Amino acid sequence: MLSVGFSGTAYASQCIGGLTLEDNYKSYDYIFSGRVESIDYSQTPTNVTLWVYNTWKGNTTQYMSVTAPIHDPLLGFLFVEGSEYLIFSESGCYP
């Protein structure tokens, strides 16, 4: 999931409901905000690269790639290129 010039990897899902902000902070490996720079639809799940401009948790890099199962009706999230997102993400597993 890494590309030339990118050194971050994380996994994304839209399912974080029901937990407090404190619980989410404890539960996730990465918490950062960023702007979508590119979306690679040729992979399943889809690879989304974000330019990171704020980090609250985790060892992020300037660019982070997240895997998003956009075709999964329960876990998928449709990212939009150029839009900004707050990401709560796990590493090393796929939700």
Side-chain angles (χ1 to χ4, degrees):
M1 194 164 65
L2 297 177
S3 302
V4 176
F6 307 126
S7 59
T9 303
Y11 300 87
S13 172
Q14 68 177 349
C15 187
I16 65 168
L19 298 176
T20 66
L21 184 58
E22 182 179 352
D23 289 338
N24 278 311
Y25 185 87
K26 291 176 185 177
S27 297
Y28 288 90
D29 300 314
Y30 297 97
I31 303 173
F32 63 91
S33 55
R35 182 182 63 233
V36 174
E37 294 292 309
S38 65
I39 303 171
D40 182 358
Y41 292 103
S42 69
Q43 300 179 18
T44 302
T46 301
N47 187 49
V48 178
T49 301
L50 297 102
W51 173 72
V52 177
Y53 57 82
N54 224 337
T55 300
W56 290 272
K57 186 177 179 184
N59 188 19
T60 63
T61 58
Q62 182 178 5
Y63 291 93
M64 293 289 288
S65 294
V66 297
T67 300
I70 66 169
H71 300 296
D72 184 319
L74 296 176
L75 296 176
F77 186 85
L78 184 58
F79 285 92
V80 176
E81 199 165 330
S83 294
E84 298 178 350
Y85 298 91
L86 174 59
I87 305 292
F88 288 75
S89 183
E90 299 174 311
S91 62
C93 66
Y94 180 77

